[in-house]
Every structure is written in C-alpha cells, then in structure tokens.
Amino acid sequence: MIVRLTDAWTEILRRRAASSTGAYPLPVQALLGEMAAAGVLMQSNIKFHGSLILQVFGDGPVKLAVAEIQSDLSLRATATLKGEVPADAGLSAMLNVHGQGRCAITLDPKDRLPGQQPYQGVVPLTDERDQKMNKLSDALQHYMRQSEQLETVLVLAADDKVAAGLLIQRLPVKGMANLAGQQPGEAELYEAEMYEHYNRIATLAASLKREELLTLDVETILRRLFWEEKLQRFEPFVGETAPRFACTCNRDRVARMIQGLGEVEAKEILAERGAIMVDCEFCGAHYRFDTIDAAQLFTTPGAKPPSSDSVQ
C-alpha cells in the first residue's frame, strides 16, 4: 500500500502556522507528517469502523505527537512541545532522551457497546536489544511484530508539501496450502516459498529512498522497485474517498470537557479570566464560554437558568 498526502497535509501545517504557537520546527513537521501517512496506511489496511489514533510520547522536547484517522480516512494531527527541538533531531532526541519514549496505537470503535473500551497497544521506542530507535518506521515495524505478529516494512517521509508512506506486510498463509489442494507434507514447503517471496518484496521496498518517496509518482515508484514482478493494482482512493483533513471538535464536546473539570474549577477560571477560552490544538478553532454559558453547563435540567442584565 502506498499513500501520498498533499492537500490534507498542507492544511494541517497551514492551520498550525496560523496559530499563536506558530509553525512546527522542521524535525517535528517531518515526524508528524510520517505519523499521518502511517496512520492512513494502517487504517486503510485494517478497515476499522472507528478512529485509529497513533501517538508517540516521552521525555524529550516533544511532549506528545498525535495523528488521528477515521474510517473514512479523514484525519487530523498535532504535536505539543515543551522545549527546544534541535534542527537535526531524530526520534530519540525528540521523544526518548532518557529511554522513556513510547509509541501507542489506539482503536476506538465508532459505536461502542456498553462497557466496551478502546483497544490500545503500547511499545517502547527501543528495539529487542534495548537500543533507541531513531525512526518512526522502526517503532511501527516493531509494534507490528510485537502486537500483531505481522512482518512489516514501512518507508515514511514528509516535508512541507507531501507526507508519504509505503507499507509492505506479510499476510498469514496458514490454511492456504489446503485450499490450493496440497498434501499436508507440502504445507511447510509452501510456507517457506511464500516467506522467500515476501523477503524479496520487502528487501526491494526497503531500498526506496526518502527523496524518491517524496518526489516520484506512484507509477514510477512501482516500476523502479518491482520491475521484475507481476503487478495488479487496485483503484486508488481519489476525490471524496481520498484522505482529507477534518477535525472532530465542536462546542458540545468542549462543553462536556468543561463539565468534566467540575463546577468549582470552572468558577475559579471564570473569576480569574472572566471567561473560559478553549482552543483546539488540531484545527485552531476558538471556543469561548462566559459566565452565563458556564453556569448553564452546571444547571440541573428543569431548573431556571441564571439571568443576565446584558443583551446579546
């Protein structure tokens, strides 16, 4: 599977640049773009009815980076910084300075059943030998091996115009030998042959360079990598089915968040600032709740709301 995000990715960067915090440092921009591309690839692969949330967090100058992809491939992404990010920073320098970095993938069903909780898998940003990983693709490949038992190759790249990724994954072959009419003794040979095929394809995919992934069209990439292979392409997702930027924030969700703070804390914020102001870190939307708005959030249904002398 291969993805190239252009309009969706540049819209994410545009909104961040227009915010009070300003544009992302280049290493953070590259990381977040790779996360967006990887998230789209994974969501497309599993076809999960709900949101796939990819997070990396740790003990470096990047406190948290998040990419969220819905089942219709609408997506949003953001990162929170707590320090200076070096211009040449890799994954470990941004998130895993003292070995506390983690990568988490959460699957949150759209229509949860009563008592149903999101599924989450978490892996450290270190390999089997406890060595720090310096690329997001290494962390995700490690996650797939540990959590999903699937051999995976990921090539990811992003700049200020394109976020792109290539995914090669070895699907389980158990049972395919019987379906093919082979005898039980031939099953092991069949699986070994399939494994050799996967290794060849994976090695070719891993040879793809960052610059090629960012600048070449899909046809050229496939032709260069797999020129000796028989290719069968599926119709690409374009137009309304293509990945696109979309934010799920709204005033009702912000209101529920304020209710979660509790009435006492809400009143303290109002007394200090005169209003509760909430900005969405994903899209930059501004939400303002004044004294009347906030009081209504904590008014018992059926009770008379507080009055105001002002006219709006």
Side-chain angles (χ1 to χ4, degrees):
M1 301 181 71
I2 190 166
V3 64
R4 288 176 60 82
L5 302 176
T6 53
D7 294 352
W9 173 232
T10 55
E11 179 65 12
I12 290 172
L13 295 182
R14 184 191 69 78
R15 288 174 178 267
R16 173 69 183 204
S19 71
S20 59
T21 51
Y24 293 114
L26 292 181
V28 178
Q29 175 182 285
L31 170 64
L32 204 60
E34 291 183 4
M35 291 176 65
V40 170
L41 287 170
M42 289 186 290
Q43 176 67 282
S44 300
N45 199 29
I46 63 176
K47 298 178 176 63
F48 175 71
H49 186 58
S51 58
L52 182 149
I53 305 166
L54 170 60
Q55 302 176 74
V56 286
F57 51 90
D59 54 12
V62 178
K63 181 178 180 181
L64 172 69
V66 183
E68 180 179 345
I69 295 85
Q70 304 297 327
S71 52
D72 63 356
L73 299 187
S74 59
L75 66 119
R76 60 181 189 166
T78 188
T80 303
L81 311 184
K82 62 177 182 180
E84 192 76 20
V85 178
D88 59 348
L91 185 68
S92 59
M94 286 189 283
L95 290 138
N96 200 27
V97 176
H98 301 294
Q100 301 301 308
R102 297 290 184 270
C103 173
I105 296 177
T106 304
L107 299 178
D108 191 1
K110 189 173 183 62
D111 301 312
R112 285 197 215 171
L113 299 174
Q116 185 180 13
Q117 298 295 321
Y119 165 80
Q120 184 178 72
V122 182
V123 293
L125 297 180
T126 52
D127 60 20
E128 293 85 351
R129 296 172 295 176
D130 205 32
Q131 298 296 309
K132 293 180 180 179
M133 299 176 182
N134 210 36
K135 295 195 300 183
L136 176 68
S137 56
D138 292 339
L140 294 176
Q141 290 170 175
H142 179 61
Y143 172 89
M144 290 297 179
R145 286 194 301 270
Q146 295 292 320
S147 300
E148 309 298 332
Q149 286 78 54
L150 292 173
E151 290 294 327
T152 303
V153 170
L154 263 173
V155 184
L156 302 169
D159 58 17
D160 61 343
K161 297 180 178 63
V162 179
L166 172 67
L167 169 70
I168 301 292
Q169 198 164 69
R170 182 181 181 231
L171 300 179
V173 298
K174 186 176 181 180
M176 292 179 65
N178 293 331
L179 292 175
Q182 293 177 327
Q183 299 300 314
E186 298 176 317
E188 292 79 5
L189 292 175
Y190 178 80
E191 184 162 352
E193 182 182 357
M194 292 300 100
Y195 190 67
E196 287 301 316
H197 288 319
Y198 169 77
N199 280 342
R200 183 180 70 256
I201 299 298
T203 301
L204 293 172
S207 70
L208 181 63
K209 296 180 173 57
R210 177 182 184 274
E211 294 74 17
E212 293 174 319
L213 185 56
L214 289 175
T215 60
L216 300 179
D217 60 81
V218 174
E219 290 286 355
T220 303
I221 289 174
L222 293 177
R223 188 168 61 251
R224 286 192 180 184
L225 290 179
F226 310 116
W227 62 277
E228 289 187 313
E229 309 296 330
K230 180 180 178 181
L231 297 178
Q232 182 179 6
R233 288 192 60 189
F234 291 91
E235 286 294 326
F237 293 144
V238 296
E240 294 182 356
T241 63
R244 63 197 180 281
F245 171 80
C247 191
T248 57
C249 76
N250 57 52
R251 190 171 178 85
D252 287 341
R253 294 186 68 175
V254 175
R256 290 194 293 271
M257 183 193 72
I258 295 173
Q259 289 173 324
L261 293 175
E263 187 172 6
V264 172
E265 187 167 346
K267 285 183 176 180
E268 290 176 353
I269 297 174
L270 288 167
E272 179 183 346
R273 305 177 186 177
I276 300 176
M277 308 291 290
V278 179
D279 295 339
C280 177
E281 293 187 2
F282 288 96
C283 70
H286 304 286
Y287 298 94
R288 183 180 187 276
F289 290 76
D290 61 18
T291 303
I292 303 301
D293 297 328
Q296 289 176 339
L297 298 179
F298 299 99
T299 299
T300 304
K304 183 180 179 180
S307 60
S308 172
D309 294 331
S310 64
V311 177
Q312 298 183 0

